Amino acid sequence: MNEFIAGFLYTFIAYGTPLILCSLGGMMTGLSGRFNLGMEGMMLFSAFFSLLFANQFGSLIAGLAMGVIITVAIGLMMAFINIRMGVDIYIAGMAVNVLGTGLTTFLIFVLTGSQGSIIYPQAPRLLKLTTPILGNIPYLNQVVSNHTWLDYLAIILVIVLAIVIHKTAFGRHIRAVGKSEWVASACGISVNKNIYASYVLCGILCGLAGASLSLNQGIFVGGFIGMTNGRGWLAMAVVILAQENPYIVLFSAWALGALSAIGDILQASKGFPARVVQMLPFIGALIAASIYSYRREKRNIRG
Amino acid sequence: MQQKKRTLFQLLVILSGLVMALIVILLCSDEPALALRYFFIGPFSSTYFLGDMLNNAVPLIICGLAASISFTASVWNLGLEGMVYFGMLTGTITAAALDGVSAVIAIPLMFLAAFLGGAVLSALCSFLYSKFHLDIMMSSLMLANVIFYLVFLLIEGPLRDADSEQGVTTKAIPEAFRFGKLLSSSDLNTTIFIALALAVFIYFALKHSRLGYEIRMTGLNASFARYGGINTGLIAIIAMLISGGLGGVGGLTYVLGTSFRVRNQLCGIGWSGLSIAMISRNNPALVVPVAIFFAYLTEGAQCAALFADITPDVSQIIQGAILLLVTGEAMINFLENRRGNRKLSVKGVSR
C-alpha cells in the first residue's frame, strides 16, 4: 500500500510540471493585464523544436535553448503586434494556437514524411536526479527523488517568482501596469517595457513547459489534441485560481495532476474508460474556477 | 476615406498571406512550379474541386456567423469547437433514430437537435456565468475540452455503429434526409443555400431588428446599453445561445457535406469559425467571402497535396499568419506612426 501511495505521489508531481511552468507564464502575462491565450500553441512550438534540435545536435541544452528561444520570439512578437499594431491580445493568442498546430504538423511532414507525430528514441532525455539528503529517507525518497531536473526547477521557479512578484520593484511595476495602465504610466512606469517583460517571461516558462513534455519521452504528437492535451487551457483555470500567488499555482497544478493520476490508476485497476480520465482535469478545473469566482464575487459584494 | 483605406489594407493582408503561401511552398517543395499551380489554380480547375471548395465553405460560413454573433455582444465564446462537435453528434444521432419518418418532419427535427445540442452547452456556460460569475471565455473553453472526450467516449461506446466500414463512427444519416447534390461529382449540396440565407438573415437581423440593436449595443458599450434600458445580461446570454446553436448547425452541415457520420476526430471548423469572425470583424456580410477564402486555401492545399508534394497543413499556417496580420485600422495607425507623427498612443497612455 505504501508503495502504491508513493507511486501515486511521484506520478502527480511529474504530471504537474508542465502545467506549473505554463501557468506561471500565464500568470505573469495576466499580471501585466494582457492574458496570453496562445500558451497551447507556444508549448507545441517549444515541444517540437526542442525535441528536433536535441536530436539533431545530440545535446539537451541545444534543444532546450532552441525551444525557449522560439517561444520567447513568439512572445515578443505577440507583445509587439499587440502594443504597436493594436491587435487584440486574444486574437494574437488564437493566431499563435492556429500556427502552433499547423506549423508543427506541417514541419513534421516536411522533415520526416510522417503524419502528426515523431519519435526519436535516441534523442537525449531529461536527466533524472536523485536528491542527496531527501533521497536517503525511506518512503520519502520514492516520492521526491528521481524526478527530472525540470521538475525541481519548476518548484524552485515558483518560489523565485513569488519573491519577484511580491518583493521586487519589477514585480510591483508589472502588477501596477495590470491594475491600471493610466496610473502606472502617470507614476513613471513604462507600460510597454513591462508588457514585453511579462511576455518574455511567459515565453521562457512556456518554452520550458513544452520541452519538459517532449524531452521526457523523446516523442512529439501534434494536432488539435496533441502533446499539450489542453494544458494551455487548464493553465487559464489555474491562473484564475491563483491570481497573484505562485504557491497556489503550484498546489492547483498538483491537484489537477493528482486528478489525472487518480484517473490513470482507476483506469489500470478498475477498467475506467480512458476518455473519462482525460476529461477529469477539465471538469475539476471548471468546478474549482466556478467556486472561486463565486466566492470572490460574494466577497466583493460584502466588502 | 478611412473606410477605403481599411478595405485596401485587408486586401493587402490577404495578399501577404498568399505571398507567404508562395514562400512556404517554394521552400519545401521539390517541384514548386507544379505545387504552386495546383495550390492557386487547383480549386478552379475542375467542377469537382470547385464543388468541394464551396462544400468546405458551408460549415465555415455558419460557424463564422456563430462566432461573430457572440463577439458582437462582446461574449468570448472560444469553446465554439465543442459546441460544433456536440451539435454534430446530437443532429446525426437524431437523424439516425428518425430513420423511416417522413423527411419533411425529420429534417427540421435534425436541425433542431443540432441547434439544441450546441445551445445546451451555451446555456451551461451562461448558467455558470450568471450563478457563479465564471468568465464565459474560460468556461466555454473548459467545457469544450470536456465535450471532446465525452463525444469520443459516446462514439467509441454506446453510439458506435458496429457495421460501419469507415472506422469508429456513429450511425449514418439516412439517405432520405441527405440534401440534394449540386455539382454531381463533388459533395456540394443544397445546404449552401441554408448557409447563405443565414448570412443574409443575420446581417439584416443584426442591423435592423430590435434584438440585433440590443446585441450590438451590449457589445459596444455595456454600461451605456444598461442606462438605455437594455438588459445586458440577458442579451449576452441570448447571443451566447444563438452562437452555440448555430455552431451545432454548422457541425451538422459539415456531417451532411462529408461522410454523413460523426468520427472520433476533431475537424477544427469551430476554431476556423472563430478566426473567420475575427478577420471579418464580426460583420456577417464579410463572413461569407472570408469563409470561402479559407475554404479556397484548404482546397488549394489539398489539391497541391494530391498532385504535388505538399501537405494540407499549409493552409493552416497561412490562416494563422493572416489572423496575426489582420489588424485593419490598427495596422494603418502603426504605419502612420512610422511615417512621422508619433503621437501618444490611442488611449492617451504615454508608453
Side-chain angles (χ1 to χ4, degrees):
Chain A
M1 193 61 199
N2 280 332
E3 291 280 313
F4 176 77
I5 291 172
F8 168 69
L9 291 174
Y10 177 84
T11 329
F12 88 66
I13 291 176
Y15 269 134
T17 305
L19 191 54
I20 293 171
L21 286 168
C22 81
S23 305
L24 286 176
M27 193 174 72
M28 292 313 293
T29 57
L31 286 183
S32 74
R34 296 176 191 220
F35 186 75
N36 181 1
L37 266 187
M39 288 188 291
E40 187 90 0
M42 275 184 163
M43 280 197 287
L44 271 180
F45 270 116
S46 133
F48 175 71
F49 281 102
S50 57
L51 181 61
L52 191 72
F53 276 76
N55 186 56
Q56 201 71 30
F57 295 105
S59 142
L60 205 64
I61 299 298
L64 263 178
M66 200 58 205
V68 170
I69 287 170
I70 293 270
T71 43
V72 168
I74 293 170
L76 278 175
M77 179 200 67
M78 285 176 75
F80 175 78
I81 65 169
N82 175 247
I83 293 167
R84 293 306 301 274
M85 298 189 186
V87 182
D88 193 295
I89 196 72
Y90 292 158
I91 295 186
M94 291 303 289
V96 167
N97 287 332
V98 175
L99 273 179
T101 42
L103 201 61
T104 47
T105 23
F106 171 72
L107 284 175
I108 287 171
F109 181 80
V110 170
L111 295 171
T112 65
S114 67
Q115 297 280 350
S117 59
I118 41 174
I119 301 170
Y120 287 132
Q122 301 95 340
R125 307 277 173 85
L126 288 171
L127 278 182
K128 300 216 163 178
L129 299 183
T130 45
T131 42
I133 305 163
L134 291 173
N136 295 331
I137 308 170
Y139 297 124
L140 201 59
N141 63 356
Q142 293 172 359
V143 179
V144 294
S145 191
N146 219 13
H147 288 284
T148 65
W149 58 268
L150 267 178
D151 295 337
Y152 298 113
L153 183 68
I155 297 169
I156 295 168
L157 277 175
V158 167
I159 300 165
V160 171
L161 276 183
I163 295 167
V164 167
I165 289 170
H166 291 286
K167 305 280 185 226
T168 65
F170 171 69
R172 287 193 196 106
H173 288 176
I174 281 196
R175 281 190 295 149
V177 169
K179 293 259 157 58
S180 164
E181 294 188 4
W182 279 72
V183 176
S185 75
C187 294
I189 299 169
S190 166
V191 174
N192 282 359
K193 228 186 262 168
N194 281 297
I195 292 171
Y196 278 122
S198 76
Y199 267 80
V200 167
L201 273 175
C202 181
I204 294 172
L205 290 162
C206 283
L208 290 176
S212 79
L213 281 169
S214 63
L215 292 179
N216 231 340
Q217 301 142 350
I219 302 175
F220 174 82
V221 186
F224 284 113
I225 297 185
M227 176 119 247
T228 48
N229 215 343
R231 282 187 181 83
W233 309 131
L234 276 182
M236 264 175 79
V238 173
V239 173
I240 285 187
L241 291 175
Q243 298 290 314
E244 295 182 352
N245 192 341
Y247 297 117
I248 299 180
V249 166
L250 184 70
F251 291 117
S252 37
W254 273 351
L256 291 176
L259 268 182
S260 298
I262 293 172
D264 274 2
I265 291 167
L266 282 178
Q267 188 191 347
S269 60
K270 299 255 161 44
F272 224 55
R275 299 301 190 185
V276 177
V277 174
Q278 287 165 311
M279 232 186 270
L280 276 178
F282 294 102
I283 296 177
L286 200 56
I287 293 171
S290 301
I291 294 171
Y292 177 80
S293 307
Y294 181 67
R295 288 187 50 189
R296 186 185 49 185
E297 191 68 21
K298 254 185 146 177
R299 214 181 308 140
N300 284 353
I301 290 169
R302 231 186 280 140
Chain B
M1 186 60 208
Q2 195 65 28
Q3 189 66 39
K4 235 184 192 172
K5 240 179 177 176
R6 196 183 285 176
T7 330
L8 197 76
F9 215 89
Q10 264 166 339
L11 283 177
L12 217 79
V13 162
I14 286 174
L15 266 182
S16 64
L18 288 177
V19 169
M20 186 156 161
L22 201 112
I23 295 169
V24 169
I25 291 174
L26 282 179
L27 279 178
C28 65
S29 174
D30 292 330
E31 31 188 3
L34 195 68
L36 280 178
R37 216 189 92 208
Y38 280 111
F39 185 84
F40 287 110
I41 309 172
F44 302 111
S45 62
S46 76
T47 51
Y48 173 77
F49 290 124
L50 188 68
D52 218 32
M53 177 179 101
L54 292 174
N55 183 39
N56 286 341
V58 172
L60 292 181
I61 292 173
I62 299 180
C63 291
L65 292 171
S68 61
I69 285 182
S70 72
F71 291 168
T72 306
S74 271
V75 179
W76 284 85
N77 179 13
L78 292 188
L80 190 62
E81 178 84 19
M83 290 153 197
V84 167
Y85 207 48
F86 197 61
M88 193 189 279
L89 183 79
T90 52
T92 309
I93 56 169
T94 307
L98 288 174
D99 195 5
V101 181
S102 150
V104 186
I105 306 168
I107 289 178
L109 277 180
M110 171 171 85
F111 275 99
L112 186 69
F115 189 90
L116 287 179
V120 161
L121 299 186
S122 295
L124 195 52
C125 292
S126 308
F127 169 77
L128 287 176
Y129 177 67
S130 56
K131 276 275 170 279
F132 297 102
H133 308 281
L134 183 61
D135 199 21
I136 283 193
M137 179 167 85
M138 152 88 206
S139 59
S140 65
L141 267 174
M142 290 296 136
L143 205 58
N145 276 293
V146 174
I147 286 301
F148 297 155
Y149 296 118
L150 181 68
V151 174
F152 288 155
L153 181 76
L154 289 174
I155 294 178
E156 287 157 6
L159 295 179
R160 182 170 180 182
D161 180 14
D163 309 327
S164 169
E165 289 156 4
Q166 304 197 8
V168 183
T169 63
T170 58
K171 283 208 173 65
I173 296 175
E175 296 269 356
F177 309 153
R178 295 176 189 178
F179 280 69
K181 293 202 168 173
L182 283 180
L183 291 169
S184 54
S185 59
S186 75
D187 281 332
L188 179 65
N189 54 47
T190 40
T191 47
I192 191 166
F193 297 121
I194 296 181
L196 293 177
L198 271 175
V200 172
F201 174 72
I202 288 171
Y203 177 75
F204 283 106
L206 272 183
K207 229 173 179 177
H208 297 297
S209 80
R210 186 176 155 180
L211 182 64
Y213 170 79
E214 290 180 342
I215 287 179
R216 278 187 296 133
M217 278 304 121
T218 305
L220 282 175
N221 189 336
S223 41
F224 174 75
R226 217 171 297 127
Y227 288 131
I230 295 173
N231 185 348
T232 50
L234 185 70
I235 293 298
I237 289 174
I238 290 175
M240 182 72 189
L241 286 178
I242 297 175
S243 164
L246 275 181
V249 171
L252 184 62
T253 57
Y254 174 81
V255 173
L256 282 168
T258 49
S259 63
F260 308 104
R261 296 163 176 86
V262 184
R263 297 165 177 286
N264 64 339
Q265 52 194 214
L266 300 177
C267 52
I269 54 174
W271 296 124
S272 302
L274 296 177
S275 310
I276 288 166
M278 287 167 179
I279 290 174
S280 57
R281 302 163 151 271
N282 311 337
N283 180 353
L286 279 178
V287 161
V288 177
V290 174
I292 291 177
F293 179 67
F294 265 47
Y296 165 71
L297 289 177
T298 317
E299 191 60 29
Q302 244 146 31
C303 263
L306 213 56
F307 298 111
D309 53 346
I310 293 287
T311 64
D313 303 304
V314 178
S315 65
Q316 245 186 343
I317 302 172
I318 301 162
Q319 286 166 15
I322 291 177
L323 192 54
L324 271 180
L325 290 171
V326 161
T327 53
E329 72 211 78
M331 194 109 148
I332 295 168
N333 282 344
F334 171 68
L335 288 180
E336 274 176 354
N337 284 348
R338 281 259 107 146
R339 241 179 272 137
N341 52 344
R342 284 201 182 189
K343 290 178 202 155
L344 294 183
S345 103
V346 200
K347 288 173 191 161
V349 179
S350 75
R351 286 166 178 275

